[in-house]
Amino acid sequence: MSDFRDRCRDYGLEPVVVVFTREQLVERWGDACVFCSTGSFDQVDHRLPVAAGGPHTIENVVPVCTSCNEAKRQLYDMAAIHEFRARVVEVRGVLVSRGEFGKTSKTCDDDGIAT
Ligand SMILES: [Zn+2]
């Protein structure tokens, strides 16, 4: 898995990272792939894609298995992306008001999960 920050730079975007733990993600989504619900939590997937400016926040990340992540391009439907984009804008507003927007941490792994 390529590093989130490197991917942002490849797209010419400023990386937005709000660090979370794997436990927080499991609490929110469960310890299984959100797409097939049988695969294991192998990787994280950005619901609003990184290429579309999706931030690396717990709001925008879901646990997925390797095979679903590889197939995710086909699973995305644009209407869902647009609907979710609106939510991300809302979430960003909340983070800005808390002073958390754009916070970064050096202490996370390649998936941006706090270590
Ligand atoms: Zn899966």
Side-chain angles (χ1 to χ4, degrees):
M1 168 123 191
S2 55
D3 184 83
F4 174 76
R5 291 185 183 84
D6 289 342
R7 287 164 69 198
C8 284
R9 285 186 200 104
D10 289 346
Y11 296 127
L13 299 165
E14 192 59 34
V16 174
V17 177
V18 179
V19 172
F20 48 85
T21 65
R22 186 185 174 99
E23 287 68 34
Q24 285 174 299
L25 205 58
V26 167
E27 197 177 299
R28 200 177 181 100
W29 297 102
D31 194 14
C33 172
V34 295
F35 290 136
C36 66
S37 73
T38 53
S40 57
F41 178 0
D42 298 326
Q43 302 176 0
V44 297
D45 180 46
H46 295 85
R47 297 179 68 193
L48 178 65
V50 175
H56 190 82
T57 65
I58 197 166
E59 315 292 343
N60 194 42
V61 167
V62 290
V64 295
C65 71
T66 306
S67 58
C68 284
N69 201 30
E70 281 163 6
K72 75 172 184 178
R73 302 272 173 219
Q74 285 75 42
L75 294 174
Y76 271 123
D77 99 38
M78 286 314 289
I81 290 176
H82 288 306
E83 189 252 346
F84 190 69
R85 191 192 306 261
R87 282 195 44 215
V88 168
V89 169
E90 250 175 65
V91 167
R92 282 189 180 185
V94 170
L95 293 173
V96 166
S97 69
R98 286 190 201 147
E100 291 175 8
F101 184 79
K103 243 187 206 175
T104 60
S105 170
K106 309 268 185 274
T107 58
C108 56
D109 65 17
D110 285 351
D111 286 347
I113 293 180
T115 52

